[in-house]
Amino acid sequence: MSESRNSKSKNTICVHEGQHIGEYRGINTPIYTSTSFGYLDTDERLYPRYFNIPNQKVVIDKIVALEHAENGMIFSSGMAAVSSVLLTFLSKGDHCIFQNGLYGGTLHFVNRELERFGIEYSILPDNEPESFRKAIRKNTKVVYTESPSNPLLRVVDLQVISKICRQHQCISVIDNTFASPINQNPLNQGIDIVLHSATKYLGGHSDICAGVVVSSKKHIERLMQTSISLGGSLNALMCYLLERSIKTMAIRVEKQNHNAGMIAEFLVLRPQAERVYYPGLKNHPGHEIACRQMTGFGGMLSFELKGQDITTFQKRLKLIRPSMSLGGIESIICAPVTTSHRLVSKKQREEEGIRDNLLRLSVGIEEAEDLIADLEQAMGE
Ligand SMILES: *Cc1c(COP(=O)(O)O)cnc(C)c1O
């Protein structure tokens, strides 16, 4: 496992970094709800859509410190972050490379919108470094990755990809949502831009929709100019809730790492789980790369259920709730075939290795034994 470079530990950053002390020295950051701020005695022009109000800044400072970045921005959703990044760094006539196995919403955006803006793109058949290299064209400006990926937890070698990008002067981007800033800091591997759906591990309680981007000062300045016009900023109340959530993120994710590891080990021994996908398992194809570039293997895993209908199985679960999304403190399960990948044809799903009996588990912070007992009883023992 690679060591974190920041001198402060992640738990300490999560609790303290960026916090504002208000007039009355309260222990929490005050919520500045204003959308109008005085301008006479200052050069600052504060306005929520300019991404510069105090509560936005607090959250950004925390994530910037966690990801070892220079600057960042907070958005109203993960997709606002994804679309703002792509529409900033790609122009008419440019080409973008997307890895294989992207979040459904990102894929939908790419398929629907990029062509209208005259942006060319390639979606790779696999995530081997050679495939990235071969796909590079003269006009390639951005290389977009997501590791570990959804739902098969595929791992991309970030050091190799960022090197290829530097050689060809492309900007490398990663969607780091599945890993969270606790388990992976891709800027350390040379990736240029890191984004997250903060709806997942940063929010962590299935009640906030937000997104973040962190990078160098230079890239964020450029992103800021376009994003101010696109308008995907987050309001102060939500920023405060997100700040509060991030305070416990490191301990939440550590527990989720632990629980997911225990469940993966349990599942590999069950005949009812045909294949188990978890980067922490020694036989996972990306295990060695994951050991190099991650500090924990994350709270997401998936497996193929054998000998039982997946809907019946989900109904038999008592603790683990069948529901969409991920990253919350409660364990939830979903079948990609009927949720995230329901709009993808069966043929395309099969090509990607997503079988009809695949279940994706977002592991929460409950006791691992309780979760394992629930899976066990639903498997019929
Ligand atoms: C959920 C998700 C997104 C989109 O985020 P929203 O907050 O739903 O807009 C992007 N990437 C990944 C990997 C996700 O899981």
Side-chain angles (χ1 to χ4, degrees), residues 76-80 82 102-103 105-106 144 146 148 150 175-178 195-200 208-211 325-326 360:
S76 52
S77 72
M79 281 314 299
V82 171
L102 291 172
Y103 170 71
T106 305
Y144 188 100
E146 197 183 306
N150 180 20
D175 182 335
N176 201 27
T177 301
F178 264 42
L195 61 88
H196 289 269
S197 166
T199 313
K200 316 298 165 56
I208 295 171
C209 185
S325 197
L326 62 111
R360 190 193 74 184

Side-chain angles (χ1 to χ4, degrees), residues 198-200 202-203 205-210 234 238 241-243 245:
T199 313
K200 316 298 165 56
L202 289 148
H205 297 73
S206 311
D207 58 3
I208 295 171
C209 185
L234 190 68
M238 277 298 152
L241 281 182
L242 189 53
E243 177 193 354
S245 289

Side-chain angles (χ1 to χ4, degrees), residues 275-291:
R275 285 185 195 80
V276 184
Y277 302 91
Y278 185 63
L281 292 173
K282 289 210 170 52
N283 68 351
H284 187 275
H287 179 68
E288 273 173 37
I289 301 169
C291 286

Side-chain angles (χ1 to χ4, degrees), residues 56-128:
Q56 292 168 338
K57 211 169 143 356
V58 174
V59 176
I60 282 309
D61 286 350
K62 272 197 200 303
I63 301 167
V64 160
L66 287 168
E67 287 281 20
H68 310 163
E70 285 178 6
N71 204 356
M73 289 172 67
I74 170 100
F75 290 87
S76 52
S77 72
M79 281 314 299
V82 171
S83 57
S84 298
V85 163
L86 292 176
L87 293 176
T88 297
F89 295 98
L90 292 165
S91 302
K92 188 176 168 188
D94 290 344
H95 173 248
C96 182
I97 296 171
F98 293 94
Q99 78 159 60
N100 180 269
L102 291 172
Y103 170 71
T106 305
L107 197 58
H108 189 70
F109 173 73
V110 168
N111 285 334
R112 257 185 85 90
E113 317 295 346
L114 289 192
E115 221 171 85
R116 289 195 302 123
F117 293 98
I119 297 163
E120 299 167 21
Y121 63 89
S122 314
I123 300 173
L124 299 183
D126 61 64
N127 296 324
E128 295 305 316

Side-chain angles (χ1 to χ4, degrees), residues 332-344:
I332 59 176
I333 196 164
C334 76
V337 167
T338 52
T339 56
S340 58
H341 289 69
R342 74 186 184 286
L343 300 178
V344 180

Side-chain angles (χ1 to χ4, degrees), residues 22-270:
E23 196 184 346
Y24 299 103
R25 296 168 302 283
I27 207 75
N28 294 315
T29 302
I31 306 173
Y32 302 92
T33 53
S34 299
T35 54
S36 177
F37 290 82
Y39 71 95
L40 283 183
D41 302 324
T42 170
D43 284 340
E44 283 184 317
R45 297 291 177 263
L46 300 187
Y47 188 57
R49 187 168 48 74
Y50 296 169
F51 298 87
N52 60 4
I53 58 170
N55 291 97
Q56 292 168 338
K57 211 169 143 356
V58 174
V59 176
I60 282 309
D61 286 350
K62 272 197 200 303
I63 301 167
V64 160
L66 287 168
E67 287 281 20
H68 310 163
E70 285 178 6
N71 204 356
M73 289 172 67
I74 170 100
F75 290 87
S76 52
S77 72
M79 281 314 299
V82 171
S83 57
S84 298
V85 163
L86 292 176
L87 293 176
T88 297
F89 295 98
L90 292 165
S91 302
K92 188 176 168 188
D94 290 344
H95 173 248
C96 182
I97 296 171
F98 293 94
Q99 78 159 60
N100 180 269
L102 291 172
Y103 170 71
T106 305
L107 197 58
H108 189 70
F109 173 73
V110 168
N111 285 334
R112 257 185 85 90
E113 317 295 346
L114 289 192
E115 221 171 85
R116 289 195 302 123
F117 293 98
I119 297 163
E120 299 167 21
Y121 63 89
S122 314
I123 300 173
L124 299 183
D126 61 64
N127 296 324
E128 295 305 316
E130 203 40 45
S131 304
F132 282 91
R133 221 174 259 127
K134 272 198 209 140
I136 297 223
R137 299 180 193 166
K138 270 211 178 72
N139 56 343
T140 305
K141 290 285 161 61
V142 173
V143 173
Y144 188 100
T145 60
E146 197 183 306
S147 179
S149 73
N150 180 20
L152 295 174
L153 290 304
R154 296 215 167 97
V155 175
V156 178
D157 193 328
L158 300 179
Q159 226 155 2
V160 173
I161 301 306
S162 64
K163 211 166 142 194
I164 295 171
C165 288
R166 270 199 302 279
Q167 277 166 358
H168 294 88
Q169 288 164 6
C170 316
I171 294 173
S172 50
V173 179
I174 186 171
D175 182 335
N176 201 27
T177 301
F178 264 42
S180 89
I182 303 306
N183 289 326
Q184 182 167 268
N185 299 128
L187 299 176
N188 291 352
Q189 265 83 43
I191 297 289
D192 296 309
I193 297 175
V194 174
L195 61 88
H196 289 269
S197 166
T199 313
K200 316 298 165 56
Y201 288 100
L202 289 148
H205 297 73
S206 311
D207 58 3
I208 295 171
C209 185
V212 299
V213 179
V214 291
S215 183
S216 63
K217 282 197 176 114
K218 190 181 89 181
H219 287 322
I220 293 297
E221 208 174 290
R222 217 177 130 189
L223 178 64
M224 185 80 81
Q225 294 311 317
T226 303
S227 304
I228 283 174
S229 307
L230 292 176
S233 62
L234 190 68
N235 67 66
L237 288 164
M238 277 298 152
C239 287
Y240 175 75
L241 281 182
L242 189 53
E243 177 193 354
R244 194 173 77 161
S245 289
I246 295 171
K247 290 181 185 183
T248 57
M249 178 168 61
I251 53 168
R252 278 191 273 114
V253 171
E254 279 156 26
K255 178 73 171 161
Q256 285 165 314
N257 288 343
H258 170 80
N259 283 356
M262 300 275 284
I263 293 172
E265 297 290 350
F266 158 78
L267 287 171
V268 278
L269 297 175
R270 308 310 291 187

